[in-house]
Amino acid sequence: MLLGRRSCWRQLQASFFRLLCLLPTGFPVRSVDMQRTTDNITIRQGDTAVIRCYVDDKVSRVAWLNRSNIIFAGSDKWSLDPRVDLVTKGQLEYSLRIQKVDVFDEGSYTCSIQTKQQAKTSQVYLIVQVPASIYKVSEDIIVNEGSNVTLTCFASGRPEPAITWRLLNPSADPLDGDEYLDIIGIMRNQAGRYECKASNDVAMPDVKYVNVVVNYPPTIKKTQSSETQVGRMGTLQCEATAVPTPEFEWYRDEKRLSNSQSINIQILGTTTILMIANVTDEDYGNYTCVASNRLGVQNASLFLYRPGTGRDINGSSCVSAPVWLLLSCIAGLFFKS
């Protein structure tokens, strides 16, 4: 019985469609969207589309079709889609309303009218726009300076969204990239938060972020020697930049210094301070600050000297570490890891 009913339904639908296809065309009725008369209606995904069709009191038959499917025949609904219904105002309007429009609703819709004198048809093409949406973006990464980096950002939408990149610090200038952002030989000043934006003017752009950390070896950028009288406290200061954060060591000649009754070493992030309590004649001289991480080592010479010797207390020299110092630092890093 069920198969028989389906067969009859298909035959009835086909017969009705053949009848409508035989109706002559070329006499369009007014077809407008909610704003203006047009052959196209552009609607955003999720909104409600109203495809308008106006008739007069001489109409004997009227129907809505989508492609080869009958949606309405008169007031009888042939579509099983609950989102679709008719908008009628008296006998003058026979409009089709589709709620929560989706991309599969896009296509041509035909309002077919039969009067005693002639047949009229009006076709409207429904265009469905989809806001841009980023569905895949690179994860946060950590790389070494000089490495080649590729960030990816994929988005969907209708029309096809445009993808742009910015490095948000410090200037946030646009970068040359789309779905792929290639950075050849990345430098430390290219570390930061990267913004991927996908836009197609349908709605607000979709934005995602990728954090890029660039590792690089230490660079000692500031030192402070000390001019101190005997019996006073002498303070030497050394500041370095590095990623990961550098580790510090202090040396007097080839002897590594550590906290004791007369020496206090403090490490505050990227700065280290050597404090010598109650300075004696034996404490005057050259000291070495060593900054190291797993990517490299750098050292600088600082001076604790007697007042009046004429040294520039802000002067320092940063040189490649001697072999014994390099080996000592590398061994220390090895055993700590």
Side-chain angles (χ1 to χ4, degrees):
M1 285 293 290
L2 182 58
L3 292 176
R5 289 178 182 176
R6 288 180 178 174
S7 177
C8 291
W9 178 265
R10 292 195 185 100
Q11 291 176 7
L12 181 61
Q13 187 178 25
S15 298
F16 188 81
F17 180 64
R18 283 196 297 271
L19 174 63
L20 291 172
C21 288
L22 292 175
L23 297 177
T25 61
F27 302 92
V29 298
R30 279 198 303 139
S31 174
V32 300
D33 64 7
M34 292 173 282
Q35 284 76 39
R36 61 187 185 279
T37 302
T38 180
D39 293 328
N40 294 334
I41 293 178
T42 300
I43 196 78
R44 189 170 66 177
Q45 183 185 41
D47 290 350
T48 297
V50 177
I51 309 174
R52 299 195 185 276
C53 182
Y54 294 93
V55 299
D56 56 38
D57 55 4
K58 298 179 182 180
V59 172
S60 59
R61 291 192 183 95
V62 64
W64 270 108
L65 298 90
N66 173 224
R67 304 179 186 91
S68 62
N69 299 316
I70 300 172
I71 305 173
F72 276 93
S75 60
D76 295 331
K77 184 176 181 180
W78 288 46
S79 172
L80 299 178
D81 192 336
R83 302 173 303 127
V84 179
D85 62 355
L86 286 175
V87 176
T88 58
K89 293 181 181 179
Q91 296 181 345
L92 300 180
E93 184 174 1
Y94 186 72
S95 299
L96 185 68
R97 178 167 56 195
I98 307 173
Q99 301 182 56
K100 297 180 180 178
V101 169
D102 210 337
V103 291
F104 53 77
D105 296 314
E106 184 168 292
S108 180
Y109 290 80
T110 303
C111 178
S112 183
I113 300 171
Q114 176 68 52
T115 66
K116 293 180 180 180
Q117 290 79 22
Q118 60 187 359
K120 302 177 182 180
T121 62
S122 176
Q123 286 191 337
V124 176
Y125 196 91
L126 179 64
I127 300 171
V128 180
Q129 293 186 329
V130 181
S133 176
I134 297 173
Y135 61 86
K136 185 178 181 181
V137 68
S138 293
E139 296 181 353
D140 296 346
I141 60 171
I142 300 175
V143 296
N144 291 339
E145 189 172 41
S147 301
N148 295 334
V149 176
T150 298
L151 303 181
T152 58
C153 183
F154 299 102
S156 60
R158 301 178 67 178
E160 188 76 20
I163 295 177
T164 57
W165 288 91
R166 293 191 305 166
L167 174 57
L168 296 185
N169 53 306
S171 60
D173 292 330
L175 301 173
D176 186 14
D178 42 34
E179 290 183 338
Y180 298 93
L181 177 65
D182 294 318
I183 308 171
I184 307 301
I186 192 168
M187 303 300 292
R188 63 192 69 180
N189 61 353
Q190 293 174 294
R193 196 180 195 202
Y194 284 78
E195 175 195 82
C196 170
K197 179 186 292 185
S199 56
N200 62 0
D201 297 327
V202 177
M204 293 294 291
D206 193 16
V207 179
K208 294 288 188 295
Y209 302 95
V210 182
N211 293 310
V212 177
V213 176
V214 178
N215 291 332
Y216 57 91
T219 298
I220 295 178
K221 64 177 186 178
K222 183 179 180 181
T223 59
Q224 181 70 53
S225 294
S226 179
E227 181 183 29
T228 307
Q229 294 179 352
V230 172
R232 301 290 182 88
M233 176 178 287
T235 302
L236 305 178
Q237 184 172 317
C238 179
E239 182 180 350
T241 60
V243 177
T245 301
E247 297 183 5
F248 290 100
E249 295 176 350
W250 285 94
Y251 289 84
R252 176 76 187 277
D253 297 327
E254 296 185 4
K255 179 183 178 182
R256 180 180 175 183
L257 303 178
S258 58
N259 287 321
S260 65
Q261 193 171 17
S262 60
I263 292 177
N264 182 18
I265 298 174
Q266 294 185 1
I267 298 176
L268 307 172
T270 59
T271 300
T272 180
I273 301 173
L274 174 65
M275 292 180 288
I276 305 171
N278 194 20
V279 170
T280 66
D281 288 335
E282 288 76 19
D283 294 321
Y284 291 127
N286 181 28
Y287 290 78
T288 302
C289 166
V290 179
S292 63
N293 65 13
R294 59 184 178 82
L295 298 179
V297 180
Q298 191 174 50
N299 71 314
S301 292
L302 297 87
F303 298 92
L304 177 65
Y305 57 90
R306 190 189 307 273
T309 58
R311 289 185 180 274
D312 179 5
I313 64 173
N314 293 314
S316 66
S317 59
C318 296
V319 298
S320 299
V323 174
W324 66 267
L325 200 52
L326 284 171
L327 292 176
S328 175
C329 293
I330 292 171
L333 289 173
F334 176 79
F335 287 114
K336 287 180 182 178
S337 60

